[in-house]
Amino acid sequence: MEEILIIDDSEQITDLLAKYVLPELGFRSIVAHTGRQGLQQLRMRLPDLILLDLQLPDISGLDLLRLIAQEGYDVPVILMTAHGSENIAVEAFRLGARNYLIKPFSDTEARVAIDQALRERRLRRDKDRLTVSLQQRVQELTVLYRIGKSVTGLMDLEQLLERIVEAGVYITQAEEGFLLLYDPEHQELYLRAAKNLGDQRAQSLRMPVGDTLAGQVVRTGKPIRLDQARSGFALKVKTGFLVRAILQVPLMVGDQVIGVLAVDNRQTERTFSENDQYLLATLADYAAIAIENARLYEEVKHSEQRYRDLFANAYDMIFLLDRDLCLTSINKVGEELIGTACEGLLGRSLHSLATPESWHQAWPSLKARLEGQPGQPFELELVASNNETIYLEVSTQVIMNGHGIKGLHCIARNLTERRHLEQQLIQSEKLSAIGQLVAGVAHELNNPLTSVSGYSQLLLRDPALPHQIRQDLEHIRTQAERAAKIVRNLLIFAREHKPERSMVALNTVVESALALQQYQFKVDTISVSLDLDPNLPETVADPHQLQQVLLNLITNARHAMLEKAKPGALTLRTRLKMRSDGEAVIQLEVEDTGIGISQPYLQKIFNPFFTTKTIGQGTGLGLSICFGIIQEHQGHIWAESQEGVGTVVKLTLPVRTMEVVEPNALPDPPASPTALLKPSLKILVVDDEEPVVELLTRMLEDLGHAAIPVTSGTAALEVFQRETFDLILSDVKMPVMNGFEFLAALRQLDPQIAERIIFVTGDTVSPLTYAEFKEGLYRFLAKPFTIEQLEQIIASALNLRSTF
């Protein structure tokens, strides 16, 4: 709970704030009656906010503000006074005050001022929490990376297995660890390495695959994570081997399980988390490949022919270098990765295949190995024949002959796909964070927009309104509706959802995506032209994914036009086309007058991670994601461009239809809402936002109904037990008791009236709220709304009532 320090010499005011106002707003308070007492409290414990009186018996509020600033306290301050002036306000803000309250002030004024003052502090606190979480993730990945390099650099199998188990115990903070290898011939698992297990248990640790936990891991290829707290009894690894918590993951090469890596806690109550499972599974991936490489290396020493077979067919890229670091042999995987046959690679220097930057870093390690010094795995980037970069992690072993070191034996693990996935994961997390931020900001705008739109509508219903005032109110309402449309588009963009298919009007998706960039185009002096086919048919698609495609294409077009000195022009065009096979398709074109794309790059723009932008300005994922989405829709996407002139990106979607069946669908609203309405309904209005509850009351009264307003679910239940109502309008997000909890309590009192509840909410972006609406088939009115929409949904609810 956030804490507020009140500094005021009036006991009446401090008691009112500390005992009534602030607790109702959800804050804890500390009281000081003089400036010195307040400064002492501040030095003892830093509050989240200070409410400071201007006139204090020992020092003025402005002087105290100066002292707070001089001592370096970073805490927002709201100045309170009964005798304010513009000069005092200016001075207070200059000294760091965040707001200014004139006594007496209402609870609403206090809430607004406090929320505004605390908003920056809350955002900073959230940022700090996210930073700590990100730092922890980076630290874990760094540890895994170092462990992986250490493990993959070992060729001695016994030493390798011991290092793997030690690493598993370390990253999971377990008490014990062990590694079992699978013997498929005898259908047994046998111990190969252990940490803190004890000699007696380690010697006897051999078990069949049949009914053991490790055997289940081998059979299913899936990890097991168990603890005594959830199962209710001690866990048996083997007879006489009991533990309190255990985590076991498979060691896999390809689709084959070669063993089990396990950690456990025998004494402590600590359980293993999902993150522990992720870390151990990642280590197991390193370990499985390293074990396989070590096995291959040991077998190579015993049979030259067998060595050559394994060399040619190994999972990793394997190659040999002479003392001049020229290729003397390379396996099939290496040929495939580089895209050149063996004959074209033999004799070439490794330097000629590597990127200059990575060679500069790899050269010291290669030189040290040729001089007989020990070396760790290193990363190397090679350029393939198609100019794509291949990321490798290379382990080296010297090749000896009678005269000393003959060359190097290298095993290179292909990290290209993992690098791409890591970059995609980082980008996905960034987009997720941006989506959550957008959703939160958009939701907060709904309530004020509801008030602006609603009150303007109420005023416009007055027939005696002067013409000039009516025009002004129409402007206010129009701008409020424009803002509401932008908010709705932001909510659609931000909402996390599973892929879905519905009938979609592409023109609507185009306009929705364009609305999110409209202001930016105006700032950048880019003209926008819409050439949309009004007779375009709807088709089956995912509207959210199509909006994502449009946003990517529009954003790319804007960036391309900003790189030219002249003002740009964007054209969005839709048409219905007939293919050569007679099938109808919808075609969308996004045309810009930007810098264009050169022909060598034009064939690569849809490849993952291809980008011509500098580092930090693009990931190369946008167009590849667009390509994937359009392919999922059985469509096509391509680009036509001319350098210096501009680019046209075209996509086509097949025209598809679907049957939409809703088994428990709500009945359609009546054509004439007022025809079913009683002359006057008694309606209970529940909303914790006073402006909204007042607005709803005014609207309902204007429609001829009697409205009873309350500001909480508990208060609504008390009123309901005394009076009867025809309908109930309720907000969803409310403190203490939310709308769904209120509905559940209402069902216990009167199931019939519970069926006549209408939710009024701005929280449809919340997955939980959205799921409740969809599952319960509840009627809801999304903020902001019009009086006509309110009238229509009331009529619809009454029509439903008549069917009971």
Side-chain angles (χ1 to χ4, degrees):
M1 181 181 292
E2 292 171 311
E3 192 171 69
I4 298 178
L5 173 60
I6 308 167
I7 307 176
D8 197 313
D9 60 335
S10 171
E11 293 187 4
Q12 181 181 1
I13 292 176
T14 57
D15 286 348
L16 177 64
L17 288 171
K19 295 179 180 179
Y20 301 102
V21 176
L22 295 181
E24 288 184 3
L25 297 178
F27 300 107
R28 185 172 56 247
S29 58
I30 305 173
V31 175
H33 294 295
T34 67
R36 290 186 179 86
Q37 289 178 2
L39 197 58
Q40 184 179 5
Q41 290 283 358
L42 182 61
R43 290 166 178 164
M44 291 170 57
R45 182 173 178 179
L46 189 68
D48 294 285
L49 177 69
I50 298 175
L51 294 176
L52 175 61
D53 188 23
L54 179 63
Q55 299 295 334
L56 296 171
D58 56 342
I59 187 173
S60 76
L62 294 179
D63 290 335
L64 186 55
L65 268 175
R66 292 188 183 93
L67 290 175
I68 291 172
Q70 288 172 5
E71 296 192 16
Y73 292 108
D74 181 16
V75 56
V77 179
I78 297 176
L79 201 64
M80 304 182 297
T81 179
H83 305 287
S85 69
E86 184 175 339
N87 291 336
I88 292 175
V90 170
E91 181 64 10
F93 285 120
R94 188 185 69 80
L95 293 172
R98 299 296 172 87
N99 215 326
Y100 190 80
L101 287 173
I102 303 296
K103 299 178 182 177
F105 48 81
S106 66
D107 292 357
T108 301
E109 291 173 332
R111 174 186 284 276
V112 171
I114 290 171
D115 282 346
Q116 288 177 347
L118 287 174
R119 186 172 301 157
E120 180 180 354
R121 193 173 187 88
R122 291 167 178 164
L123 289 174
R124 189 184 303 119
R125 190 181 297 121
D126 290 341
K127 177 186 174 184
D128 292 341
R129 283 198 296 267
L130 290 173
T131 300
V132 170
S133 176
L134 181 59
Q135 289 173 343
Q136 180 182 354
R137 177 59 65 183
V138 170
Q139 184 179 6
E140 290 173 350
L141 291 176
T142 302
V143 170
L144 278 176
Y145 173 76
R146 291 174 178 171
I147 291 174
K149 290 184 70 174
S150 172
V151 167
T152 54
L154 291 172
M155 292 298 176
D156 181 83
L157 186 58
E158 297 300 325
Q159 187 181 0
L160 170 64
L161 297 178
E162 291 177 2
R163 186 73 60 84
I164 290 169
V165 176
E166 289 175 356
V169 171
Y170 172 76
I171 62 176
T172 60
Q173 300 179 13
E175 293 179 4
E176 303 172 339
F178 54 93
L179 187 147
L180 303 169
L181 290 183
Y182 175 49
D183 181 1
E185 182 178 352
H186 298 93
Q187 291 290 297
E188 282 187 335
L189 286 161
Y190 58 98
L191 183 70
R192 285 302 307 269
K195 175 72 173 177
N196 301 333
L197 208 58
D199 292 339
Q200 184 176 358
R201 288 193 298 166
Q203 290 174 0
S204 62
L205 197 53
R206 189 177 186 94
M207 62 187 73
V209 175
D211 59 351
T212 59
L213 292 175
Q216 182 179 339
V217 174
V218 173
R219 293 193 306 272
T220 64
K222 296 180 179 179
I224 286 179
R225 176 163 52 95
L226 298 171
D227 58 80
Q228 182 176 340
R230 286 185 291 180
S231 60
F233 51 85
L235 306 171
K236 182 175 72 172
V237 179
K238 187 187 176 185
T239 303
F241 190 166
L242 302 179
V243 296
R244 296 177 182 271
I246 192 165
L247 172 60
Q248 298 184 344
V249 297
L251 296 168
M252 301 189 70
V253 175
D255 58 353
Q256 298 297 318
V257 179
I258 65 170
V260 175
L261 178 59
V263 292
D264 64 71
N265 289 325
R266 188 160 56 95
Q267 301 293 336
T268 66
E269 296 289 344
R270 179 182 177 272
T271 61
F272 295 107
S273 65
E274 187 174 344
N275 190 55
D276 292 328
Q277 179 175 318
Y278 161 78
L279 294 174
L280 195 65
T282 305
L283 174 62
D285 289 340
Y286 279 114
I289 297 300
I291 291 171
E292 188 66 9
N293 287 343
R295 282 180 173 176
L296 294 176
Y297 181 71
E298 287 185 349
E299 290 178 4
V300 162
K301 295 186 295 185
H302 296 93
S303 170
E304 181 67 20
Q305 184 60 45
R306 186 181 177 191
Y307 161 74
R308 289 180 178 177
D309 292 340
L310 293 173
F311 177 86
N313 299 292
Y315 176 78
D316 292 328
M317 174 179 170
I318 303 176
F319 55 96
L320 304 181
L321 301 173
D322 61 19
R323 288 193 60 82
D324 295 325
L325 299 181
C326 293
L327 289 166
T328 60
S329 183
I330 189 169
N331 66 348
K332 292 180 181 179
V333 172
E335 295 179 44
E336 294 171 358
L337 286 176
I338 298 174
T340 304
C342 180
E343 294 76 10
L345 293 173
L346 297 184
R348 289 186 61 178
S349 69
L350 187 61
H351 184 193
S352 67
L353 297 171
T355 62
E357 297 82 2
S358 71
W359 181 257
H360 179 72
Q361 296 176 358
W363 162 245
S365 296
L366 291 167
K367 181 181 178 183
R369 294 298 281 151
L370 288 173
E371 294 173 353
Q373 301 176 19
Q376 294 294 323
F378 59 89
E379 293 190 2
L380 184 66
E381 298 173 10
L382 301 184
V383 180
S385 59
N386 60 358
N387 291 324
E388 297 290 338
T389 302
I390 306 166
Y391 299 91
L392 302 173
E393 185 178 70
V394 183
S395 300
T396 58
Q397 185 73 22
V398 296
I399 303 173
M400 305 292 294
N401 60 12
H403 303 286
I405 297 176
K406 178 183 177 181
L408 296 177
H409 178 284
C410 304
I411 300 177
R413 184 181 183 188
N414 186 5
L415 303 180
T416 306
E417 185 65 24
R418 193 179 79 180
R419 286 288 183 84
H420 290 173
L421 291 174
E422 288 173 353
Q423 294 179 38
Q424 193 168 7
L425 176 61
I426 292 171
Q427 181 70 4
S428 176
E429 290 177 347
K430 287 181 180 178
L431 291 174
S432 177
I434 292 172
Q436 292 175 14
L437 177 62
V438 167
V441 172
H443 173 248
E444 287 301 317
L445 289 175
N446 272 327
N447 280 334
L449 280 175
T450 300
S451 298
V452 173
S453 175
Y455 283 112
S456 63
Q457 292 177 64
L458 285 173
L459 291 171
L460 285 168
R461 291 171 72 89
D462 182 1
L465 203 65
H467 175 71
Q468 184 60 50
I469 295 177
R470 181 175 295 276
Q471 276 193 328
D472 294 343
L473 288 172
E474 286 287 0
H475 285 308
I476 292 172
R477 180 179 178 180
T478 300
Q479 294 305 310
E481 289 176 352
R482 177 187 174 192
K485 183 177 180 181
I486 293 173
V487 168
R488 285 193 297 272
N489 288 334
L490 287 173
L491 293 179
I492 292 172
F493 171 75
R495 178 180 292 140
E496 296 181 4
H497 68 287
K498 297 179 181 179
E500 59 185 48
R501 291 291 187 270
S502 60
M503 295 302 296
V504 175
L506 186 61
N507 287 347
T508 302
V509 177
V510 171
E511 293 168 349
S512 173
L514 185 62
L516 294 176
Q517 294 266 2
Q518 193 71 47
Y519 177 76
Q520 196 62 52
F521 282 121
K522 182 178 180 181
V523 171
D524 296 333
T525 63
I526 295 174
S527 62
V528 180
S529 300
L530 290 178
D531 183 9
L532 307 180
D533 185 350
N535 300 317
L536 204 66
E538 292 186 346
T539 188
V540 176
D542 186 322
H544 309 289
Q545 289 185 334
L546 291 186
Q547 186 187 55
Q548 184 179 3
V549 171
L550 263 296
L551 284 172
N552 267 312
L553 298 182
I554 291 172
T555 301
N556 285 346
R558 185 171 65 84
H559 289 169
M561 289 184 284
L562 289 178
E563 295 187 36
K564 291 182 69 173
K566 297 179 180 179
L570 175 71
T571 302
L572 300 174
R573 187 179 297 110
T574 58
R575 291 289 186 272
L576 182 64
K577 300 279 188 178
M578 298 300 295
R579 295 194 322 197
S580 57
D581 59 3
E583 183 179 358
V585 295
I586 298 171
Q587 181 167 306
L588 167 70
E589 298 180 5
V590 179
E591 182 177 357
D592 66 66
T593 58
I595 59 173
I597 305 171
S598 63
Q599 290 303 313
Y601 289 151
L602 193 60
Q603 305 303 318
K604 301 180 181 180
I605 60 173
F606 294 107
N607 294 345
F609 302 99
F610 176 81
T611 179
T612 58
K613 298 177 182 177
T614 58
I615 295 175
Q617 294 185 358
T619 63
L621 289 171
L623 286 177
S624 67
I625 291 174
C626 294
F627 184 84
I629 290 173
I630 298 304
Q631 271 200 328
E632 287 180 6
H633 286 76
Q634 289 81 48
H636 299 280
I637 184 170
W638 70 97
E640 301 171 359
S641 185
Q642 184 177 348
E643 280 192 273
V645 178
T647 301
V648 182
V649 179
K650 300 181 180 181
L651 64 87
T652 60
L653 295 171
V655 178
R656 299 282 189 266
T657 58
M658 68 184 296
E659 292 292 332
V660 180
V661 179
E662 297 183 9
N664 297 316
L666 295 174
D668 294 332
S672 176
T674 56
L676 289 177
L677 289 181
K678 294 181 180 180
S680 177
L681 299 175
K682 189 174 181 181
I683 301 175
L684 180 62
V685 181
V686 190
D687 198 305
D688 64 309
E689 292 279 348
E690 289 192 8
V692 176
V693 79
E694 291 175 6
L695 172 64
L696 280 167
T697 302
R698 288 275 306 277
M699 284 183 167
L700 291 171
E701 291 173 348
D702 196 73
L703 292 172
H705 307 304
I708 308 299
V710 291
T711 56
S712 71
T714 53
L717 290 176
E718 292 176 3
V719 173
F720 182 77
Q721 291 176 344
R722 298 194 305 265
E723 303 182 42
T724 59
F725 297 92
D726 298 298
L727 284 174
I728 297 177
L729 299 180
S730 175
D731 191 14
V732 173
K733 274 199 170 182
M734 296 183 292
V736 183
M737 176 182 288
N738 64 37
F740 297 124
E741 293 170 342
F742 169 62
L743 175 59
L746 202 61
R747 283 199 176 107
Q748 299 296 323
L749 298 174
D750 187 343
Q752 290 188 344
I753 191 66
E755 299 296 337
R756 301 198 298 274
I757 189 168
I758 299 172
F759 287 112
V760 183
T761 181
D763 190 40
T764 54
V765 73
S766 167
L768 293 177
T769 304
Y770 190 76
E772 285 277 5
F773 285 153
K774 191 172 183 180
E775 181 179 350
L777 295 176
Y778 302 133
R779 280 180 167 77
F780 68 92
L781 191 61
K783 301 175 184 176
F785 50 84
T786 64
I787 295 179
E788 290 76 17
Q789 289 172 332
L790 176 62
E791 186 177 20
Q792 187 177 47
I793 199 167
I794 291 173
S796 176
L798 289 178
N799 189 39
L800 175 64
R801 172 186 164 189
S802 66
T803 65
F804 292 142

